[in-house]
């Protein structure tokens, strides 16, 4: 028997371990962002949406999107990026709400 499979699996295992470590580091950074900036993010969103609950939902969605980044890059830009994600989500929700409202009015007028 040859030891070739062991030699091939060792670099793969090392790569998986390195990726897991990088992921854990990134999750730690996002946790730190949450602890340090979540209140400011929710306040930022609160000026753009009608309720605290909606602001918290959008903030949560922004953190999820941040966690889904495959190439997070420099940590220094993440706070700004988080706020940009949240602002974009706010606009998306407003557009969706407007379209639903317009569709409801059109249906009421037609029927």
């Amino acid at each position: 028997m040859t030891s070739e499979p062991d030699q091939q699996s060792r670099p793969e295992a090392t790569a998986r371990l390195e990726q897991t470590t990088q992921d854990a580091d990134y999750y730690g950074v996002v946790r730190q962002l949450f602890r340090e900036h979540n209140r400011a993010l929710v306040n930022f969103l609160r000026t753009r949406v009608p309720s605290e609950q909606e602001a918290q939902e959008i903030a949560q969605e922004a953190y999820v999107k941040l966690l889904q980044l495959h190439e997070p890059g420099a940590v220094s830009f993440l706070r700004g990026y988080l706020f940009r994600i949240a602002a974009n989500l706010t606009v998306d929700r407003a557009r969706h709400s407007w379209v639903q409202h317009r569709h409801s009015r059109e249906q009421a007028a037609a029927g």
Side-chain angles (χ1 to χ4, degrees):
M1 273 193 169
T2 110
S3 63
E4 201 169 311
D6 290 336
Q7 291 174 352
Q8 288 178 349
S9 64
R10 191 171 300 173
E12 291 170 10
T14 301
R16 282 194 304 271
L17 179 60
E18 287 173 0
Q19 184 62 48
T20 301
T21 301
Q22 289 172 356
D23 290 347
D25 291 346
Y26 183 62
Y27 296 150
V29 167
V30 174
R31 268 193 302 278
Q32 182 177 349
L33 270 174
F34 178 84
R35 283 192 306 270
E36 294 176 4
H37 303 292
N38 189 59
R39 185 74 262 169
L41 178 63
V42 171
N43 289 341
F44 168 78
L45 292 167
R46 190 62 186 92
T47 65
R48 290 162 172 75
V49 296
S51 72
E52 175 82 12
Q53 180 180 350
E54 189 171 1
Q56 290 176 354
E57 288 172 5
I58 293 170
Q60 181 179 7
E61 196 173 338
Y63 285 109
V64 168
K65 288 192 175 288
L66 196 64
L67 286 169
Q68 291 173 341
L69 285 177
H70 295 289
E71 304 265 341
V75 171
S76 61
F77 89 96
L78 288 178
R79 180 183 184 276
Y81 189 62
L82 175 65
F83 277 72
R84 174 51 41 208
I85 290 171
N88 289 347
L89 288 169
T90 302
V91 170
D92 290 348
R93 281 184 177 220
R95 286 181 184 150
H96 181 73
S97 178
W98 181 81
V99 167
Q100 282 184 322
H101 179 71
R102 189 178 83 188
H103 181 68
S104 295
R105 282 191 335 214
E106 289 172 355
Q107 281 190 333

